Amino acid sequence: MPGPHEERPARRRTRDPGAGGRAQRPEVPFPAGLPEKPTGRNLREGGTSGASPGCWATGEDASDRLRAAWSQPSGAPACGAGLPHPAPPPREPPLVPPLVPPRHPCPWHYLRLSGSLESLAPTCFKAKLHRKSGGSTPDMASAPAMAGRTPGELGGGTYTYTSRPRAVPCQRRRYREDPLQPSEESMHYGNIMYDRRVIRGNTYALPTGTLPGQPDLLDLQRQQMARRRALARKRAQERLRPRTPEPVEGRKHVDVQTELYLEELADRIIEVDMECQTDAFLDRPPTPLFIPAKTGRDVATQILEGELFDFDLEVKPMLEVLVGKTVEQALLEVMEEEELANLRASQHTYAEIRNVELAEVQRLEEQERRHREEKERRKQQQWDIVNKHNETAQKISARVFAQRYLADLLPSVFGSLRDSGYFYDPVERDIEVGFLPWLMYEVEKTMEYNMVGRTVLDMLIREVVEKRLDQYEQRSLVPGPGRPGHPEAVREPLVGFQLPSDPNLSQRAAYSRAPQPQDRRFLGLDE
Amino acid sequence: MPLPDTMFCAQQIHIPPELPDLLKQFTKAAIRTQPADVLQWSAGYFSALSRGDPLPVKDRIEMPVATQKTDTGLTQGLLKVLHKQCGHKEFVELDDLEKKWKNLCLPVEKFRALLLLDPCTKRIEWMKFLALGCSTLGGSLITAMKHLCEILTKDPEGGPARIPFETFSYVYRYLANLDPSISSSEMESYLASLKGNVEARKNGMIGLSDFFVQKRKL
């Protein structure tokens, strides 16, 4: 027992300062197997008085923790790393079991204060129960508060908690409580919902509980009283329970196992964590070839000629196939060809018949055509004849009618013609046309000559008279030359003399011509 | 190929590559010809094949006449076969002919009977023999001529079986001469009429339709 005492401080020194609050209470009630139960209990009791057998959060048991605590805590959780843990006044239990450093550093442990470590672990409950000094309850109550408050106390750090998820270990007791060792009232289940250590309510304003160093006396007292009462109740009940009688004088009760094989009795189920890891960088080696083991027996034999192979036998299937297939194929082909030939033959027959029929049809058609043509021709002929006949009749009738109609046309025509003078005597006509007009013309001319002569004569006379008159006048006026009128007068007679001077000239022409120029001259003269 | 000494499995057996084809042709010929005695006929077939002669194979399958009214088993098909075999020559040796006759599994007596109709010694003109065969096929002269046309024609089967008019007239005259009932004048007149028909129309070929009126089953 003193050993652990010594060890503890030493261990504390070796421990990480950051882990100051760590399991300072090392408490493994059973370092290396319980020697016997009562002592173990004692141990436990003693140990748990101030020890936390196992970390509740990490699930390690006290032994582990104690064991781990020996090694340097490596990889200490970062939570609260920056937090310098204050060195709370440790609650030194009177009895300190051999200290084994916990193997698994648990963040809870970091935050845990010395006095409250055991209370945080489930086994801490047991420790708490066994501890007579009390104060665990307040510890329990205050632990979370303290734990929560620690950072606040320290000044401004954030509260973090991380833990590896762990299953809640079974806390079922195997054996009932020793009557001499009444158990404290405690909560046997690990349900978080009913854990008084879990803070409920708002977390931003933490209740200002009692300081760790100054527990609320009133609360403490009340709790102690309650506990005592409960214990008393329990004790009373225990006494009523029948127990094994006390050992007789000089004897001692000993627990003995009656089974074949001894079994180590332990309340706590030994849990062992095992880890395994494969080498990450090693390639899987190729699978070895599977060569099955040789089974069976080796037997040797010799084959003589003719034993393996019998030609007739072997060739039979071949022959069967050959012949069978040949026959089958031949049959098929023959049938096919036959069918085709049949088809062709029937085709030809049909074509033949058709040809014959076609020829017949053609012949008949030809005949028919000829008949028809003949008929047509005859009909046409007949028609023509009839037409002609009709025409002729019509012509005849027309002619007759015309004849009759124009019967008296001729005489009337002749009559009218005669009347219009188309039939004339040519001599008469000639006389009429030719002679008589000439005669008339001649007569007219002669008469005209006469007239002209008379006219000329008249003019002559008039001229002469006028001249005479003029002359008389002139003579009367001027017995002068009336020569200007003389040439004319001379001329006149010339002219007038001319007239009869050439009577041999075409009389008619003279007659016709002379008066006319004379007339003109005379007239001109006159004018 | 002779069997090698060591033959172990069926796969080693070697089949000549021509064998299947040969067998098939033979089988087909046999099926088509339907000989009464297969062995005899096969001998004839293979000997003809080996010699390169035309094979005694019918072109069309023709079921053998079971009830042999004429008691010869001679059919148009068989005559055709014979014609195929012998037709290229004008004269046939009687022995040869007899052998061929036998190969077709026809009774020899009938052969002799045929020959009796027109006796000759060593050789016979093939046309005449054919004509005689045809006459045994059908009852009358006209049916004989019909068979002849069908055998000799180059037209496809079922078509107008046309043969040259000279052949026709030759055979007709021959058969008419053999038959005492038909007078020569009748024959000549008939032939003349046919000839007129033929020459008016075609290229000297006379067909079935010219002289043979098939009774159509209506």
Side-chain angles (χ1 to χ4, degrees):
Chain A
M1 290 314 166
H5 277 290
E6 289 153 12
E7 283 174 0
R8 215 176 0 125
R11 203 183 54 252
R12 218 179 274 145
R13 271 179 233 122
T14 55
R15 215 170 279 149
D16 200 357
R22 260 186 90 196
Q24 292 151 16
R25 227 98 5 228
E27 44 288 343
V28 170
F30 26 93
L34 295 170
E36 29 180 276
K37 215 171 160 189
T39 45
R41 286 246 174 91
N42 287 337
L43 260 177
R44 192 177 5 145
E45 190 180 8
T48 55
S49 57
S52 50
C55 171
W56 166 42
T58 56
E60 62 189 10
D61 52 0
S63 53
D64 291 353
R65 229 178 334 106
L66 287 175
R67 262 177 254 130
W70 277 118
S71 56
Q72 281 292 340
S74 59
C79 72
L83 291 172
H85 292 277
R91 299 267 177 89
E92 301 292 321
L95 268 171
V96 180
L99 302 172
V100 176
R103 204 179 292 137
H104 306 288
C106 165
W108 277 106
H109 290 152
Y110 288 130
L111 293 173
R112 238 194 274 167
L113 302 171
S114 54
S116 57
L117 288 173
E118 66 277 16
S119 59
L120 296 171
T123 48
C124 299
F125 294 131
K126 293 181 215 155
K128 194 170 27 75
L129 287 170
H130 288 294
R131 208 168 75 179
K132 288 196 178 100
S133 59
S136 56
T137 323
D139 287 346
M140 223 176 67
S142 57
M146 286 192 288
R149 230 188 317 127
T150 315
E153 253 185 316
L154 295 170
T158 57
Y159 177 77
T160 57
Y161 167 68
T162 60
S163 81
R164 212 174 292 147
R166 292 217 176 227
V168 174
C170 174
Q171 304 306 319
R172 185 175 56 83
R173 284 172 188 276
R174 278 202 190 172
Y175 310 103
R176 53 186 149 139
E177 302 289 338
D178 195 76
L180 302 173
Q181 315 265 345
S183 59
E184 285 182 357
E185 166 195 308
S186 74
M187 297 191 249
H188 286 280
Y189 44 83
N191 196 343
I192 199 173
M193 295 301 291
Y194 298 98
D195 196 347
R196 282 158 57 173
R197 294 173 293 176
V198 175
I199 301 176
R200 283 177 174 76
N202 55 349
T203 52
Y204 43 84
L206 296 167
T208 56
T210 55
L211 288 173
Q214 295 157 19
D216 199 4
L217 289 168
L218 200 59
D219 283 338
L220 275 170
Q221 273 174 3
R222 247 185 267 128
Q223 281 163 14
Q224 281 167 12
M225 289 261 296
R227 240 180 247 143
R228 265 181 234 129
R229 260 183 249 126
L231 279 169
R233 231 180 288 132
K234 207 145 191 197
R235 256 177 237 137
Q237 276 185 350
E238 289 268 349
R239 271 190 209 109
L240 293 172
R241 217 182 295 164
R243 290 178 215 278
T244 53
E246 297 291 333
V248 176
E249 212 36 58
R251 288 204 194 161
K252 209 163 80 163
H253 281 305
V254 170
D255 281 335
V256 162
Q257 294 183 357
T258 54
E259 274 137 37
L260 269 177
Y261 302 103
L262 291 178
E263 183 189 320
E264 182 191 330
L265 299 171
D267 277 345
R268 200 175 297 118
I269 301 151
I270 299 172
E271 290 168 8
V272 176
D273 288 323
M274 290 297 298
E275 260 185 16
C276 177
Q277 187 181 343
T278 53
D279 196 352
F281 302 103
L282 211 59
D283 282 340
R284 183 171 174 275
T287 47
L289 282 171
F290 174 63
I291 300 167
K294 177 168 166 297
T295 55
R297 295 179 352 176
D298 284 333
V299 178
T301 180
Q302 183 179 0
I303 298 176
L304 301 171
E305 208 176 297
E307 274 182 13
L308 264 185
F309 183 73
D310 180 17
F311 180 75
D312 291 329
L313 215 64
E314 296 291 332
V315 94
K316 197 151 141 238
M318 232 184 272
L319 270 182
E320 273 173 16
V321 165
L322 193 64
V323 173
K325 275 286 170 198
T326 308
V327 169
E328 193 184 316
Q329 191 72 22
L331 199 64
L332 277 174
E333 279 185 21
V334 166
M335 299 317 277
E336 259 181 37
E337 284 165 16
E338 199 58 31
E339 194 173 331
L340 281 175
N342 268 341
L343 279 174
R344 246 180 265 123
S346 58
Q347 248 181 351
H348 289 301
T349 318
Y350 175 74
E352 195 51 33
I353 292 173
R354 191 162 152 273
N355 281 348
V356 166
E357 278 182 0
L358 268 179
E360 188 67 23
V361 160
Q362 258 180 356
R363 192 179 63 77
L364 283 173
E365 262 183 20
E366 198 56 39
Q367 202 180 28
E368 185 62 33
R369 195 176 56 79
R370 264 186 289 114
H371 281 177
R372 207 168 349 111
E373 270 178 15
E374 191 64 32
K375 203 165 62 170
E376 284 301 309
R377 218 166 346 105
R378 293 265 173 85
K379 244 186 0 190
Q380 197 61 34
Q381 228 173 15
Q382 213 53 34
W383 194 251
D384 289 340
I385 286 169
V386 165
N387 270 356
K388 249 205 174 86
H389 196 76
N390 281 350
E391 220 176 290
T392 319
Q394 269 183 2
K395 269 190 190 161
I396 288 169
S397 66
R399 181 148 48 137
V400 164
F401 173 74
Q403 242 174 358
R404 218 154 45 84
Y405 183 68
L406 300 172
D408 57 342
L409 180 71
L410 221 55
S412 69
V413 161
F414 276 126
S416 58
L417 277 178
R418 203 179 303 118
D419 289 346
S420 9
Y422 281 94
F423 304 112
Y424 54 86
D425 187 14
V427 174
E428 195 182 335
R429 182 60 164 253
D430 188 29
I431 292 173
E432 279 182 10
V433 167
F435 178 65
L436 284 181
W438 174 80
L439 192 66
M440 294 298 296
Y441 177 67
E442 292 297 321
V443 166
E444 202 177 320
K445 209 162 63 172
T446 312
M447 284 180 65
E448 228 178 275
Y449 283 161
N450 283 345
M451 287 288 295
V452 164
R454 281 202 194 118
T455 311
V456 166
L457 197 66
D458 283 340
M459 282 173 67
L460 274 174
I461 296 170
R462 197 176 167 187
E463 281 276 335
V464 167
V465 170
E466 278 183 8
K467 271 187 187 139
R468 292 279 162 94
L469 194 63
D470 282 342
Q471 277 177 0
Y472 281 136
E473 281 176 6
Q474 280 176 3
R475 270 199 195 139
S476 68
L477 289 174
V478 173
R483 302 281 155 197
H486 209 53
E488 294 164 13
V490 174
R491 233 189 288 143
E492 275 179 43
L494 286 172
V495 173
F497 285 140
Q498 247 179 3
L499 277 172
S501 65
D502 41 1
N504 292 335
L505 291 174
S506 58
Q507 205 175 358
R508 276 193 215 148
Y511 279 147
S512 63
R513 252 188 286 135
Q516 282 158 16
Q518 268 181 349
D519 287 345
R520 268 195 226 115
R521 218 177 295 147
F522 283 145
L523 292 170
L525 273 173
D526 282 347
E527 290 162 47
Chain B
M1 175 170 132
L3 285 177
D5 288 342
T6 53
M7 213 194 251
F8 297 115
C9 62
Q11 280 78 13
Q12 274 179 293
I13 299 175
H14 176 257
I15 300 174
E18 307 90 22
L19 183 63
D21 196 41
L22 203 69
L23 280 179
K24 192 165 83 158
Q25 298 301 324
F26 169 65
T27 318
K28 280 166 77 170
I31 292 172
R32 271 201 227 110
T33 313
Q34 301 281 334
D37 184 11
V38 186
L39 196 58
Q40 176 84 36
W41 174 82
S42 321
Y45 175 85
F46 279 114
S47 46
L49 188 61
S50 65
R51 266 180 281 130
D53 290 344
L55 303 173
V57 180
K58 287 191 203 164
D59 288 329
R60 296 288 312 281
I61 192 168
E62 198 183 40
M63 287 302 143
V65 181
T67 65
Q68 301 182 357
K69 283 177 280 195
T70 54
D71 216 36
T72 54
L74 183 68
T75 61
Q76 189 179 327
L78 288 173
L79 272 179
K80 253 197 195 161
V81 171
L82 282 172
H83 176 65
K84 190 164 61 160
Q85 284 183 293
C86 311
H88 50 275
K89 303 189 286 236
E90 204 186 335
F91 288 95
V92 222
E93 303 290 326
L94 279 180
D95 307 326
D96 193 27
L97 191 57
E98 187 169 345
K99 216 187 311 173
K100 290 197 168 71
W101 183 271
K102 278 196 215 150
N103 278 341
L104 288 174
C105 317
L106 295 165
V108 188
E109 311 83 47
K110 209 56 198 171
F111 183 68
R112 307 244 184 273
L114 265 183
L115 287 178
L116 279 176
L117 288 173
D118 187 13
C120 42
T121 50
K122 277 283 185 186
R123 332 191 293 166
I124 186 168
E125 199 176 323
W126 171 244
M127 267 302 155
K128 292 191 178 150
F129 186 81
L130 189 59
L132 290 172
C134 290
S135 64
T136 57
L137 278 180
S140 72
L141 186 55
I142 292 295
T143 51
M145 295 315 295
K146 167 175 163 292
H147 284 299
L148 186 82
C149 279
E150 281 175 1
I151 289 172
L152 287 180
T153 186
K154 292 187 185 53
D155 284 333
E157 190 178 336
R162 291 192 291 246
I163 56 172
F165 189 70
E166 296 80 34
T167 323
F168 181 85
S169 51
Y170 173 75
V171 171
Y172 191 82
R173 281 203 190 88
Y174 173 68
L175 285 177
N177 285 336
L178 286 180
D179 190 353
S181 60
I182 304 176
S183 68
S184 63
S185 58
E186 281 175 23
M187 176 186 64
E188 290 303 326
S189 63
Y190 183 65
L191 272 178
S193 66
L194 282 179
K195 185 166 181 150
N197 256 1
V198 163
E199 274 179 9
R201 204 183 330 145
K202 294 172 207 161
N203 44 358
M205 307 279 270
I206 181 163
L208 264 184
S209 50
D210 295 324
F211 61 92
F212 184 73
V213 178
Q214 214 155 12
K215 290 200 202 53
R216 276 187 233 162
K217 307 177 195 67
L218 289 169

